[in-house]
Amino acid sequence: MHPLAERIHHQDIRALAKAITLVESETEEKLTLMSDIFSFSRQAHHIGITGSPGAGKSSLINRLLTYLREQGLTVAVIAVDPTSPFSGGALLGDRTRMQQHFTDPGIFIRSMATRGNLGGLARASKDAIRVCDAFGFDVVLVETVGVGQSELDIMKVVDSTGLVLTPNSGDVLQIFKAGIMEIADLFIINKADYPGVARLKTTLQEYMMIADPKGWQPPIVETVSTENKGMAALWEQFKEHQGFLYGTDQGANRRKQQLKLEVYDLIREEIWRDVERAIEHDAAKQQLLNDSQADPYELARRWFKDWKERGPRQ
Amino acid sequence: MHPLAERIHHQDIRALAKAITLVESETEEKLTLMSDIFSFSRQAHHIGITGSPGAGKSSLINRLLTYLREQGLTVAVIAVDPTSPFSGGALLGDRTRMQQHFTDPGIFIRSMATRGNLGGLARASKDAIRVCDAFGFDVVLVETVGVGQSELDIMKVVDSTGLVLTPNSGDVLQIFKAGIMEIADLFIINKADYPGVARLKTTLQEYMMIADPKGWQPPIVETVSTENKGMAALWEQFKEHQGFLYGTDQGANRRKQQLKLEVYDLIREEIWRDVERAIEHDAAKQQLLNDSQADPYELARRWFKDWKERGPRQ
């Protein structure tokens, strides 16, 4: 067993931080560590909170954290920021609101930002969720800055996704157009003390009439995070959805689909690491890459053919 | 030869649009089409314009287009929008400023947005640049919404990247911290009629003193796109950089590095398509994926081992 896995099993918090750094690094060690860790996976509830910037996700999570701690639950928060530094400042700023939680041993907070490539970020975030699960947290909360493609990728691996909307923001129509509604297991109307709540609810209900529920009709929860309102109702709906996932055939299907995506992701990463290494060590191929006039499409086509005919050990 | 390649060779504008749709679709046909097209690549100058939202990139490009047309040059514009629908509205809005150019046959404008995955967008954008090049445009301008990771990926394949900054925006320090300065071949201070230009220039010069120039010191160009100022100087600096790329050893090295990245990208895409198909058609593997309790890390590790031992034709 990987030494970090052993230490995580014994709830060594420094091992947790180290393991997340390891999964971020995309080294070969990762699969071993992750598989060891998977064996003592403790079935935390994995929750995603997504929505447009400005919807108040961070305040909401801050309040939800307090509520969950009051219920005696331990929580890991993975804050994912795939955006450019231009819009990413908000996330770090919001972190200060969470300061009260930093000294609480029942809470672990970790930011994940883009390193190398976006696919790598989504992958590392998924692994980080698993590591927190294995450590024994009751809840793993994943927060994203916005709702771009890599955030959607990450949301595909959590159990329950809450989509945060605000009244009169115009967000809902854009979300609808972009097909983002489909990832929501819960609609959270935050800032529900603002005017326009009734209208937003009508829009959401109209959407649900035409949507394919696949066995689960997303409930609408109203929250006012500035006034700490709606947290109990929000949590109850998340538990309700967990019951659906683990208690119904449709829920099981969804979990199977997630597993498949995850295996595909992992194997793609492994194979590519291997192929890249082979090309790096192939002097003839490196020679061809030295001609800046070469046709990249032709080289890719030819090398792919080589690979198909002679196999990965060529 | 692919029929679309033939038609692009004869400058059929509908074939151009169709070919870009084809490269977006990630079908197997793509490599053939692209390789055919590569053979009559016409060496357009590929220019990237990036910078934070609000820096005035679209107005700047609009003015630059007018300037380039006055010089008798034909221009293709690829507008890349990898952001969520929440921040992406701006791009479409800005397009209306370009309306005057829509009826000009010497200008082709195409938007590329996220479909499927961000890696796919960067890949498709690169291919679209090549298709426009093959068609015979003198200049291919690539505009991005912000400066996130996938925009940076795209900028790695253009010849010359202009980073648009504005005085007193605070952008420059964030750009510096994020390592984005390194992709700039030109610093464009837009809105140069605002106060703070001298200070921004000092900051940029300080940066350049500690940066590794690799044979090219990025010039600083001042523009005021609202007043149509600085376009001739901007264009002159872009031509200067093109001269560096095609006239020096460091420039040749950079082009080699780009080729390598591109081949790697293409072959990764091909191999993955192949592996995915193999797994989809493997009944035993699909059976294992049917158990939602399975360990994804263990499956990935085992299948990767299979693949290594038995090769891609297993």
Side-chain angles (χ1 to χ4, degrees):
Chain A
M1 184 170 288
H2 195 287
L4 280 177
E6 188 81 46
R7 286 169 61 195
I8 283 169
H9 196 46
H10 294 102
Q11 301 208 306
D12 173 345
I13 196 85
R14 281 188 305 173
L16 175 63
K18 273 192 180 171
I20 295 179
T21 303
L22 194 143
V23 300
E24 275 183 321
S25 71
E26 296 188 26
T27 57
E28 281 172 77
E29 245 182 296
K30 200 185 77 178
L31 277 195
T32 318
L33 171 68
M34 291 307 298
S35 193
D36 288 344
I37 275 176
F38 192 86
S39 67
F40 43 86
S41 184
R42 304 190 189 202
Q43 320 274 303
H45 190 174
H46 302 169
I47 288 177
I49 303 281
T50 191
S52 63
K57 292 189 296 290
S58 288
S59 307
L60 184 77
I61 287 174
N62 194 22
R63 295 297 194 177
L64 185 59
L65 273 179
T66 305
Y67 177 80
L68 294 173
R69 292 300 291 139
E70 284 164 9
Q71 313 304 306
L73 298 168
T74 58
V75 190
V77 182
I78 308 281
V80 183
D81 185 0
T83 59
S84 75
F86 298 101
S87 53
L91 189 71
L92 284 170
D94 285 337
R95 282 290 86 73
T96 59
R97 285 189 218 153
M98 292 206 188
Q99 265 177 354
Q100 52 164 312
H101 298 302
F102 277 122
T103 52
D104 177 350
I107 287 181
F108 173 80
I109 298 174
R110 174 80 174 227
S111 279
M112 316 270 298
T114 305
R115 291 191 190 184
N117 64 77
L118 281 169
L121 176 64
R123 182 65 256 153
S125 303
K126 291 170 198 176
D127 295 331
I129 295 169
R130 297 258 189 214
V131 173
C132 292
D133 185 4
F135 187 86
F137 285 101
D138 298 313
V139 178
V140 182
L141 269 180
V142 185
E143 176 197 1
T144 64
V145 170
V147 287
Q149 190 57 44
S150 55
E151 283 99 331
L152 296 185
D153 275 356
I154 295 161
M155 290 306 157
K156 282 177 195 152
V157 301
V158 301
D159 296 320
S160 313
T161 300
L163 179 60
V164 185
L165 299 164
T166 49
N168 281 333
S169 63
D171 283 356
V172 69
L173 289 179
Q174 291 182 301
I175 289 178
F176 182 81
K177 263 172 65 187
I180 291 166
M181 300 291 263
E182 293 160 31
I183 65 153
D185 301 309
L186 261 78
F187 293 114
I188 306 169
I189 304 185
N190 194 28
K191 304 185 184 176
D193 53 338
Y194 282 34
V197 173
R199 206 175 124 206
L200 177 55
K201 281 172 95 165
T202 307
T203 309
L204 290 173
Q205 276 148 2
E206 281 166 2
Y207 161 74
M208 283 190 269
M209 284 173 65
I210 57 163
D212 171 13
K214 286 178 192 145
W216 174 258
Q217 183 89 318
I220 301 171
V221 186
E222 294 176 36
T223 57
V224 184
S225 50
T226 51
E227 293 171 20
N228 202 16
K229 281 185 186 160
M231 296 307 134
L234 177 59
W235 184 240
E236 197 181 309
Q237 290 300 338
F238 272 127
K239 297 313 289 176
E240 193 75 27
H241 184 253
Q242 191 186 33
F244 158 77
L245 280 180
Y246 289 87
T248 66
D249 286 350
Q250 290 105 327
N253 277 336
R254 172 166 156 168
R255 290 186 298 122
K256 275 176 206 169
Q257 201 51 38
Q258 288 185 339
L259 172 74
K260 183 173 154 174
L261 287 176
E262 197 162 1
V263 173
Y264 280 22
D265 245 25
L266 288 165
I267 199 161
R268 173 162 39 205
E269 200 182 286
E270 286 306 299
I271 289 177
W272 176 247
R273 203 188 344 255
D274 194 69
V275 172
E276 190 177 29
R277 198 187 298 116
I279 297 176
E280 291 288 345
H281 289 93
D282 183 329
K285 286 193 172 60
Q286 290 302 317
Q287 187 60 38
L288 285 167
L289 287 175
N290 242 334
D291 170 15
S292 62
Q293 295 298 311
D295 172 355
Y297 303 95
E298 178 53 30
L299 287 182
R301 195 162 56 169
R302 202 194 310 163
W303 295 357
F304 176 67
K305 196 162 159 279
D306 276 7
W307 176 81
K308 281 289 279 182
E309 281 165 10
R310 288 188 281 163
R313 283 166 306 165
Q314 57 183 269
Chain B
M1 185 171 287
H2 194 287
L4 279 177
E6 187 81 46
R7 287 170 60 195
I8 283 169
H9 196 48
H10 294 101
Q11 302 208 304
D12 173 346
I13 196 86
R14 282 189 305 174
L16 175 63
K18 274 192 180 172
I20 294 178
T21 303
L22 194 143
V23 300
E24 275 182 322
S25 71
E26 296 187 26
T27 57
E28 281 172 78
E29 245 181 296
K30 201 185 77 177
L31 278 195
T32 319
L33 171 67
M34 291 307 297
S35 193
D36 288 345
I37 275 177
F38 193 86
S39 67
F40 43 86
S41 182
R42 304 190 190 204
Q43 319 275 302
H45 191 176
H46 302 167
I47 288 177
I49 302 282
T50 191
S52 64
K57 292 188 296 288
S58 288
S59 307
L60 183 78
I61 287 174
N62 194 21
R63 294 297 193 177
L64 186 59
L65 274 178
T66 305
Y67 177 81
L68 295 173
R69 292 299 291 139
E70 284 165 8
Q71 313 304 306
L73 298 167
T74 59
V75 189
V77 182
I78 309 280
V80 183
D81 185 0
T83 59
S84 76
F86 297 100
S87 53
L91 189 70
L92 284 170
D94 285 337
R95 284 288 87 71
T96 59
R97 285 188 219 156
M98 292 206 189
Q99 264 177 355
Q100 51 163 311
H101 299 301
F102 277 121
T103 51
D104 176 351
I107 286 180
F108 173 79
I109 298 175
R110 173 80 175 229
S111 279
M112 317 268 299
T114 305
R115 291 193 190 181
N117 64 78
L118 281 169
L121 176 64
R123 183 64 256 151
S125 302
K126 292 169 197 176
D127 295 331
I129 294 169
R130 298 257 189 215
V131 174
C132 292
D133 184 5
F135 187 87
F137 287 100
D138 298 313
V139 179
V140 182
L141 270 179
V142 185
E143 176 197 2
T144 64
V145 170
V147 286
Q149 190 57 44
S150 56
E151 282 99 331
L152 295 185
D153 275 356
I154 295 161
M155 290 305 156
K156 283 178 194 151
V157 301
V158 301
D159 296 319
S160 313
T161 300
L163 178 61
V164 185
L165 300 163
T166 49
N168 282 332
S169 63
D171 283 357
V172 69
L173 288 179
Q174 292 182 301
I175 290 178
F176 182 82
K177 262 172 64 188
I180 290 167
M181 300 290 264
E182 294 160 30
I183 64 153
D185 301 308
L186 260 78
F187 294 114
I188 305 169
I189 304 185
N190 194 26
K191 304 186 185 175
D193 53 338
Y194 283 34
V197 172
R199 206 175 126 208
L200 177 53
K201 281 174 92 164
T202 308
T203 310
L204 290 174
Q205 276 149 359
E206 281 166 2
Y207 161 75
M208 282 189 268
M209 282 172 66
I210 58 163
D212 171 12
K214 285 177 193 146
W216 173 258
Q217 183 89 318
I220 302 171
V221 187
E222 294 176 36
T223 58
V224 184
S225 50
T226 51
E227 293 172 22
N228 202 17
K229 281 186 185 158
M231 296 307 134
L234 178 58
W235 184 241
E236 196 181 309
Q237 291 299 339
F238 273 126
K239 297 313 288 176
E240 193 72 29
H241 184 253
Q242 193 185 32
F244 158 76
L245 281 180
Y246 289 88
T248 66
D249 285 350
Q250 290 106 327
N253 276 336
R254 175 167 154 169
R255 289 185 297 123
K256 276 178 205 169
Q257 200 51 39
Q258 288 185 340
L259 171 73
K260 182 173 156 174
L261 287 176
E262 198 162 0
V263 173
Y264 280 23
D265 246 25
L266 288 165
I267 199 162
R268 175 163 39 205
E269 200 182 287
E270 287 305 298
I271 288 177
W272 177 245
R273 200 183 352 251
D274 193 70
V275 171
E276 191 176 29
R277 198 187 297 117
I279 298 177
E280 291 288 345
H281 289 94
D282 183 328
K285 286 192 172 59
Q286 291 301 317
Q287 188 59 39
L288 286 167
L289 287 174
N290 243 334
D291 169 16
S292 63
Q293 295 298 311
D295 173 354
Y297 303 95
E298 178 53 32
L299 289 181
R301 195 162 54 168
R302 203 194 310 163
W303 295 357
F304 176 66
K305 195 162 160 279
D306 277 8
W307 174 82
K308 280 292 278 181
E309 281 166 9
R310 287 188 282 160
R313 284 165 305 165
Q314 56 184 273

